[in-house]
Amino acid sequence: MSEAIASLRAAEPRRFGEDGLAVLVGIGVLILALVSLYGRDLLGWAVTTAVWTDPAKALGAVSKVYAGLGGAGALAATYVALLVVLSAGAAALGGDVKKFAIAFTFVFVLAYASWFVGSWAYVAAVTPADQAKFGVSWSLRLTNEGGYIVALIAGLVIANFFPRFADWLKEAIRPELYIKIAIVLLGAFIAVTAAGKLTLASSLLLRGVAAIVEAYLIYWAVVYYIARKWFGFSREWAAPLASGVSICGVAAAIATGGAIRARPQVAVLVSSLVVVFAVVEVLILPFLAQTFLSSQPLVAAAWIGLAVKTDGAAVAAGGITESLVLAKAAAEGIAYQPGWLIAVTTTVKVFIDIFIGVWAFILAYVWTNHIDVKPDAEKARPSEIWARFPKFVLGFVATFVAGLALALGGAGPKLAAAVGEANTFRIIFFILTFFSIGVLTDFRKLWREGLGKLAAVYLVSLFGFVIWVGLIISWLFFAGVKPPLVG
Amino acid sequence: MSDQELRDELKAPTEPLLPIEKKLIGWSLGIGVTLLVLLAVVNHFLPVS
């Protein structure tokens, strides 16, 4: 149950909380990175990992200015910086700083070790040319972003085989915080990517609107009907469940539970399901996308955004999908520009997130005025829309606008380098997200809590309806649209 | 909520769909399909350049 409680804790803050912290950290990192535009490199010490066969040569600082630090020095500097900033954040959120610092140390070491393993040439090398370059006769061809999968599996092993250790780590297991920081950072990266092809980028934005309609108006209604009519769930269970499957997972289930005045346990139990199924999707869907959709890269990206629930799992799965699809295209001699697939996945997810508050208000209005009418009960108020608005989206928009303005203002290669340094931290927060999601996912809890019937609704809806309709809509709106080629 | 309580609750008699729930489902699907068709038309006439 601890993972569900953690999920609830992570999804609750629609006030200043994790969202506000994510915006502060994300914008702070970007500002420090942008100082390099004026000739002073403040973040070049961040650690980066190259595909390796000799582990001694794997790690290094992202900027040549800090090459003297060496791999170990860059890793230590990155760890200390993150420890200080996130411990201060934990204090601001009212957490136990000492517990957080100790737990975060283990989380960082295990998560980055997973990333390191994922960058081993036997795991990461993709093309025969790569294999020849690294002198390996075979490889799993997962790209170096296969490290995300390794981090997820490491977390799953801890959650399912070492539950006491998983519980001990929980103070630093904050996937929602980590992914929100990453999404804020992603705003600038997407802006720099989009600035070169503004017409294409705006066309993709227009197509992203379909995702909002699909999630709220199509998915929700069908899943609610299935839960109520086929599985006989009460309204109190069916509404959060429909939001969890249809919209953006944990946050939507919590928001809906609050809107219809459900008991807190209902949203907690639904959230635990959301996390488990999101992990299953992350382990399966990117590889299906690579196998069947590599000729339509943006269809694959939009599909991942629509099918994978929870922001963390979806955006991170978008990153893996981009690596896998681009690697397959590269093996066929097509070099797509990186960044476009993850931009589409993130846009789809952020567009869906924006309307959580509006949807929660509509449900609250219907429930308090027509379904659960109590004379003295508090009625739905429009202020709930803002209260439930995911504030980290504002950070994403701010970094996107800043990045776009600088790119269009002619900041050029220097800006790309600066955003690249910020992007190094985005990757580290992705790694922490994957590891954390794994640690929260104890598959045995499903049966212990008697959630089989809830899981059945989720399974039927997700794999019988949501991913297929998502695929059709993604195909309808993104088929034939290709990312720009390199050069 | 204990395992037993949860099991009992999930086995409780089905609440019938109220007219307002049917309306919510119907209007959602109706508006959703209409908007998707409209967006598809816009998509057709404004191809990606």
Side-chain angles (χ1 to χ4, degrees):
Chain A
M1 193 76 164
S2 60
E3 82 279 14
I5 292 167
S7 304
L8 179 65
R9 180 189 63 187
E12 263 179 348
R14 285 289 177 255
R15 305 170 293 278
F16 182 90
E18 277 193 350
D19 280 37
L21 180 60
V23 172
L24 279 180
V25 174
I27 290 181
V29 169
L30 184 65
I31 289 172
L32 290 178
L34 291 177
V35 171
S36 68
L37 294 178
Y38 303 97
R40 203 166 168 82
D41 190 346
L42 297 181
L43 285 186
W45 42 263
V47 69
T48 184
T49 309
V51 177
W52 57 272
T53 46
D54 177 358
K57 294 178 182 168
L59 300 177
V62 67
S63 166
K64 286 179 185 169
V65 176
Y66 292 87
L69 275 178
L75 184 64
T78 306
Y79 158 70
V80 171
L82 290 174
L83 180 69
V84 170
V85 171
L86 295 175
S87 295
L93 294 175
D96 184 329
V97 177
K98 190 179 167 192
K99 264 189 184 174
F100 176 87
I102 296 170
F104 179 77
T105 301
F106 280 88
V107 168
F108 181 83
V109 168
L110 293 169
Y112 209 84
S114 304
W115 181 251
F116 185 80
V117 170
S119 297
W120 190 27
Y122 284 100
V123 178
V126 177
T127 63
D130 287 341
Q131 290 177 352
K133 179 180 158 190
F134 292 106
V136 297
S137 54
W138 63 275
S139 70
L140 294 176
R141 302 183 180 200
L142 289 178
T143 79
N144 61 342
E145 301 207 358
Y148 295 139
I149 300 285
V150 179
L152 180 63
I153 292 171
L156 286 172
V157 168
I158 291 170
N160 289 276
F161 295 102
F162 306 96
R164 282 189 187 173
F165 183 47
D167 197 47
W168 185 77
L169 288 175
K170 69 183 177 192
E171 194 66 31
I173 298 298
R174 294 170 178 264
E176 295 283 328
L177 172 65
Y178 301 142
I179 198 63
K180 284 169 184 172
I181 297 172
I183 290 174
V184 172
L185 288 169
L186 204 51
F189 178 71
I190 291 174
V192 172
T193 305
K197 301 277 178 187
L198 218 47
T199 315
L200 173 61
S202 47
S203 299
L204 295 178
L205 273 182
L206 178 70
R207 280 150 183 79
V209 175
I212 303 167
V213 176
E214 186 179 348
Y216 287 94
L217 299 176
I218 307 288
Y219 283 169
W220 195 93
V222 172
V223 177
Y224 184 79
Y225 182 82
I226 289 173
R228 291 278 289 115
K229 197 76 179 171
W230 294 4
F231 287 85
F233 277 101
S234 67
R235 296 173 199 98
E236 187 188 23
W237 283 95
L241 191 58
S243 294
V245 181
S246 312
I247 305 172
C248 55
V250 172
I254 305 292
T256 300
I260 68 163
R261 281 59 172 163
R263 289 163 296 163
Q265 303 96 305
V266 173
V268 168
L269 289 172
V270 170
S271 298
S272 65
L273 266 185
V274 170
V275 174
V276 170
F277 277 99
V279 167
V280 174
E281 287 183 290
V282 170
L283 289 172
I284 297 174
L285 297 191
F287 296 96
L288 289 179
Q290 184 197 34
T291 305
F292 298 108
L293 294 173
S294 61
S295 63
Q296 295 290 346
L298 298 186
V299 173
W303 180 54
I304 292 292
L306 278 166
V308 181
K309 301 306 159 188
T310 83
D311 294 337
V315 177
I320 296 177
T321 303
E322 173 164 289
S323 294
L324 293 173
V325 169
L326 263 54
K328 190 173 179 187
E332 293 164 359
I334 306 167
Y336 290 121
Q337 279 182 17
W340 287 89
L341 273 73
I342 197 167
V344 167
T345 304
T346 308
T347 303
V348 162
K349 212 66 204 160
V350 168
F351 272 23
I352 293 172
D353 277 357
I354 288 171
F355 285 87
I356 289 177
V358 176
W359 188 244
F361 172 70
I362 292 170
L363 293 180
Y365 179 83
V366 171
W367 251 256
T368 55
N369 288 283
H370 298 283
I371 291 178
D372 194 16
V373 186
K374 293 172 187 162
D376 302 328
E378 195 182 359
K379 300 284 182 193
R381 287 175 313 206
S383 60
E384 287 184 30
I385 295 174
W386 173 246
R388 296 186 188 285
F389 183 83
K391 312 291 187 301
F392 75 95
V393 169
L394 300 177
F396 172 81
V397 172
T399 58
F400 179 84
V401 170
L404 195 63
L406 287 168
L408 297 177
K414 274 187 175 179
L415 176 66
V419 171
E421 286 186 357
N423 200 48
T424 305
F425 282 93
R426 192 267 297 174
I427 289 169
I428 294 170
F429 281 111
F430 264 34
I431 302 166
L432 294 171
T433 303
F434 269 97
F435 181 77
S436 300
I437 289 174
V439 174
L440 286 179
T441 310
D442 183 350
F443 289 108
R444 295 167 305 177
K445 296 279 173 76
L446 275 183
W447 311 116
R448 200 183 302 158
E449 290 170 354
L451 289 180
K453 196 174 164 188
L454 278 172
V457 179
Y458 211 108
L459 198 70
V460 167
S461 302
L462 192 63
F463 292 104
F465 171 71
V466 167
I467 63 171
W468 301 111
V469 175
L471 182 59
I472 292 167
I473 300 292
S474 301
W475 192 277
L476 190 63
F477 287 91
F478 290 92
V481 188
K482 302 284 174 71
L485 298 174
V486 172
Chain B
M1 191 181 289
S2 71
D3 291 4
Q4 190 56 48
E5 283 172 330
L6 176 64
R7 272 193 290 272
D8 291 345
E9 188 167 325
L10 296 182
K11 282 179 186 167
T14 308
E15 297 169 350
L17 275 173
L18 296 173
I20 186 72
E21 289 176 279
K22 290 178 185 170
K23 259 191 192 174
L24 182 65
I25 294 169
W27 277 95
S28 289
L29 284 174
I31 296 171
V33 171
T34 308
L35 285 174
L36 280 178
V37 170
L38 279 175
L39 284 168
V41 171
V42 172
N43 183 42
H44 180 74
F45 288 106
L46 289 175
V48 174
S49 50

